[in-house]
Amino acid sequence: MEPIYIRIFKDIEAKILSGDWRPGDRIPREHDLVDDYGCSRMTVSKALTALVERGLVVRKRKTGSFVAAPQINRTVMDIQDIGTAATLAGYEHRHEILTRKIETLGPVEAAQLNSIAGVEILRIHCLHIVDGKPTAVERRIILLDTVPLARTESFVGAPPAKWLLSQVPWSKAKHVIRAVSADAATARILKIDRGDPCLNLIRQTWQNDRMVTYVEITHPGDRFQFAGIFHPAESALRQQP
Amino acid sequence: MEPIYIRIFKDIEAKILSGDWRPGDRIPREHDLVDDYGCSRMTVSKALTALVERGLVVRKRKTGSFVAAPQINRTVMDIQDIGTAATLAGYEHRHEILTRKIETLGPVEAAQLNSIAGVEILRIHCLHIVDGKPTAVERRIILLDTVPLARTESFVGAPPAKWLLSQVPWSKAKHVIRAVSADAATARILKIDRGDPCLNLIRQTWQNDRMVTYVEITHPGDRFQFAGIFHPAESALRQQP
DNA sequence: GACCCGCTTTTGACTATACAAATAGATATA
DNA sequence: TATATCTATTTGTATAGTCAAAAGCGGGTC
């Protein structure tokens, strides 16, 4: 028999991850959940505390509890929203959409992504420019099945990573980081020499086992690095500021 | 006024991070903590739950709660114990200590590491060989002040990363990941060509604001990558298996 | 309008207690 | 001796409340 607080946790998590409750939505008050589940407030509170810890919920006295804005707040992901990182470091950042087209996923790529051939995808190539210098090429595939709104999104206002994050909470992410030599096309776009070392990041994201996006980001080795400071303690205890 | 459960959390955390209570040591029973702090068992339990979440404590019915074996279980770190990663992937792994000497930290390096010149350090160069191929050069500095036992450790049995982990729990870590070209020395050791792309990882670790170690690991780009799958949910709820 | 005051809602911390589940160690049995 | 059974200990979940702190809201005063 599953503990009640875990049932509550999973129920709410499911509502959020499925997109049923969207970022900013208010979630039921503790008292209502007490009524719904027929349990004590401590039990509800335990579930909500875990959801805050998980990063899906924010709570505020008097106002209530809300679905949190999805955030890349853990693990490597911290490092990888180029725009935010650049802004934080005090640099000016802009991006250019190089190509943007709707296709169907071919069999080879489907196998590679562990997805199914024939589904509709949006393929985007995007260049990131930080401090006036080309700093990353982003080659991305978005599954239109999972994110239908992407079909009409131009990505001019916010780059794909940022836009996606505001649309879809992720439940699983896979990363690969490697060093590669620049191929001809990449070298031309980034204005570096062929063969120069590049930092290559691949990220694939799922929402409840439905693939959301696959992206490969290539940085010139001399113009970018991933950096992060980790205090493992911080996450466990979160006193209000 | 700080909540009691946070006081308990911090007290125990401090005992563990200072090395006062060592991995495997039993920590006071909940009932004893109740007496010590003059609070209810629920409050103690909340603190202990947070410590489990933080990864510092394991609890077991009937037997009690214990200081957890330090583990690299979060963030990028998952990926970076070469030996473990190699073994998991089914490869044979061994390492060779190339050089090992005790020095004092020079002013330039001290500034670079944000440490103080003149302190005694152990400098180690180490080669990692996976599946018969040289896969990483590790250049490491260990502060003998913080880790006195390192003075007499040969690192033949366990490579420095693993040995350190068993000795010192970390409270803060800083990472940098970049792509670089192999310099002459690195190329020779790794048996690659000068200029080949390499994945370069720098990690600096502290225990309570005392620096523990600084390490730079260089991988041939074609022979190594960091990969990881993240389920942000897992950490928040930890049901007993 | 600008400011202060108090009311009300909602979460935050905590208590004292109860019973359940796991299990190490002792005891009894074949 | 080996195995099954019991028991005591310790954590795990849950209850049903209390009091406190934050903060939105409205009213009154100047």
Side-chain angles (χ1 to χ4, degrees):
Chain A
M1 186 48 182
E2 203 176 42
I4 304 176
Y5 79 95
I6 290 188
R7 238 176 59 222
I8 302 177
F9 177 100
K10 287 189 179 170
D11 286 356
I12 297 180
E13 183 192 38
K15 282 259 197 288
I16 296 175
L17 288 183
S18 70
D20 214 347
W21 293 351
R22 301 183 46 80
D25 285 1
R26 182 166 184 179
I27 72 176
R29 288 173 317 216
E30 297 190 356
H31 183 76
D32 291 344
L33 291 169
V34 164
D35 290 350
D36 291 354
Y37 287 89
C39 65
S40 78
R41 217 191 113 208
M42 274 294 280
T43 305
V44 165
S45 179
K46 198 167 176 178
L48 289 177
T49 302
L51 283 160
V52 169
E53 170 57 27
R54 155 72 225 259
L56 285 177
V57 164
V58 289
R59 304 163 86 184
K60 213 173 159 200
R61 281 179 185 165
K62 164 74 183 175
T63 17
S65 302
F66 302 84
V67 177
Q71 35 179 335
I72 349 184
N73 60 349
R74 279 137 216 259
T75 71
V76 208
M77 311 204 69
D78 236 350
I79 313 153
Q80 292 155 19
D81 181 359
I82 306 166
T84 313
T87 310
L88 282 176
Y91 291 115
E92 174 267 333
H93 167 262
R94 66 177 208 274
H95 69 283
E96 286 171 15
I97 303 293
L98 302 176
T99 68
R100 179 192 184 289
K101 45 193 168 183
I102 293 175
E103 307 176 355
T104 56
L105 193 61
V108 177
E109 264 185 325
Q112 189 185 333
L113 305 188
N114 214 358
S115 182
I116 12 171
V119 296
E120 265 196 318
I121 58 164
L122 179 64
R123 189 186 299 273
I124 301 174
H125 289 187
C126 172
L127 174 65
H128 293 264
I129 298 160
V130 176
D131 202 23
K133 293 189 277 277
T135 305
V137 208
E138 173 177 346
R139 298 185 177 89
R140 184 182 290 270
I141 290 171
I142 299 175
L143 280 260
L144 287 174
D145 234 32
T146 316
V147 197
L149 275 175
R151 189 183 295 273
T152 54
E153 173 64 36
S154 70
F155 302 106
V156 170
K162 205 165 187 175
W163 182 85
L164 271 172
L165 206 57
S166 72
Q167 294 293 317
V168 192
W170 57 283
S171 57
K172 191 174 111 183
K174 182 181 162 186
H175 292 83
V176 177
I177 301 173
R178 355 172 255 182
V180 297
S181 295
D183 60 31
T186 307
R188 188 165 31 78
I189 297 173
L190 291 176
K191 299 204 171 79
I192 57 177
D193 291 332
R194 238 191 107 189
D196 277 1
C198 289
L199 200 54
N200 190 241
L201 162 76
I202 295 170
R203 191 196 304 166
Q204 195 172 4
T205 317
W206 291 263
Q207 175 190 40
N208 285 336
D209 289 320
R210 303 180 63 190
M211 186 182 139
V212 174
T213 189
Y214 171 93
V215 62
E216 184 180 337
I217 299 177
T218 308
H219 301 276
D222 60 345
R223 265 176 247 157
F224 202 82
Q225 58 188 25
F226 299 140
I229 295 187
F230 302 103
H231 307 257
E234 314 279 278
S235 64
L237 273 194
R238 200 184 309 256
Q239 242 187 318
Q240 69 267 31
Chain B
M1 187 45 182
E2 204 176 41
I4 304 175
Y5 79 96
I6 291 189
R7 239 178 56 223
I8 302 177
F9 177 100
K10 287 189 178 170
D11 286 355
I12 296 180
E13 184 193 37
K15 282 260 200 288
I16 296 175
L17 288 183
S18 70
D20 214 347
W21 293 351
R22 301 187 43 82
D25 285 2
R26 181 165 186 181
I27 71 177
R29 290 173 316 217
E30 298 190 355
H31 184 76
D32 291 343
L33 291 170
V34 165
D35 289 350
D36 290 354
Y37 287 88
C39 65
S40 80
R41 216 191 112 211
M42 276 298 278
T43 305
V44 165
S45 179
K46 197 168 177 177
L48 289 177
T49 302
L51 284 159
V52 169
E53 171 58 27
R54 156 71 225 259
L56 285 177
V57 164
V58 289
R59 303 162 87 185
K60 212 172 159 203
R61 282 178 185 163
K62 163 75 183 176
T63 15
S65 303
F66 301 83
V67 177
Q71 33 180 337
I72 350 181
N73 60 348
R74 279 140 219 256
T75 71
V76 208
M77 311 205 69
D78 237 351
I79 313 153
Q80 292 154 18
D81 181 359
I82 306 165
T84 313
T87 309
L88 283 176
Y91 291 115
E92 174 267 332
H93 167 263
R94 67 177 208 275
H95 69 283
E96 285 170 16
I97 304 293
L98 302 177
T99 68
R100 180 192 182 287
K101 46 192 168 184
I102 292 175
E103 306 176 357
T104 56
L105 192 62
V108 177
E109 263 186 325
Q112 190 186 331
L113 304 188
N114 214 358
S115 182
I116 10 170
V119 297
E120 265 196 321
I121 59 165
L122 179 64
R123 189 187 299 274
I124 300 174
H125 289 187
C126 172
L127 174 64
H128 292 265
I129 298 160
V130 175
D131 202 23
K133 293 189 277 276
T135 305
V137 208
E138 173 177 346
R139 298 184 177 90
R140 183 182 291 270
I141 289 171
I142 299 174
L143 280 261
L144 287 174
D145 233 32
T146 317
V147 197
L149 275 176
R151 189 183 295 273
T152 54
E153 172 65 35
S154 70
F155 302 105
V156 171
K162 204 164 187 174
W163 182 85
L164 271 172
L165 205 58
S166 72
Q167 294 294 317
V168 193
W170 56 283
S171 57
K172 191 174 111 181
K174 181 179 160 186
H175 292 84
V176 176
I177 301 172
R178 0 171 250 182
V180 297
S181 295
D183 60 31
T186 307
R188 187 165 31 77
I189 296 172
L190 291 176
K191 299 204 171 78
I192 57 178
D193 291 331
R194 235 189 111 190
D196 277 0
C198 289
L199 200 54
N200 191 244
L201 162 75
I202 294 170
R203 190 194 304 166
Q204 195 172 5
T205 317
W206 291 264
Q207 176 191 40
N208 285 338
D209 289 320
R210 303 180 63 189
M211 187 181 138
V212 174
T213 189
Y214 170 93
V215 62
E216 184 179 338
I217 298 176
T218 308
H219 301 276
D222 60 345
R223 264 176 247 157
F224 203 80
Q225 59 187 26
F226 300 140
I229 295 187
F230 303 103
H231 306 258
E234 313 279 277
S235 64
L237 274 192
R238 199 183 308 254
Q239 245 186 316
Q240 69 265 30

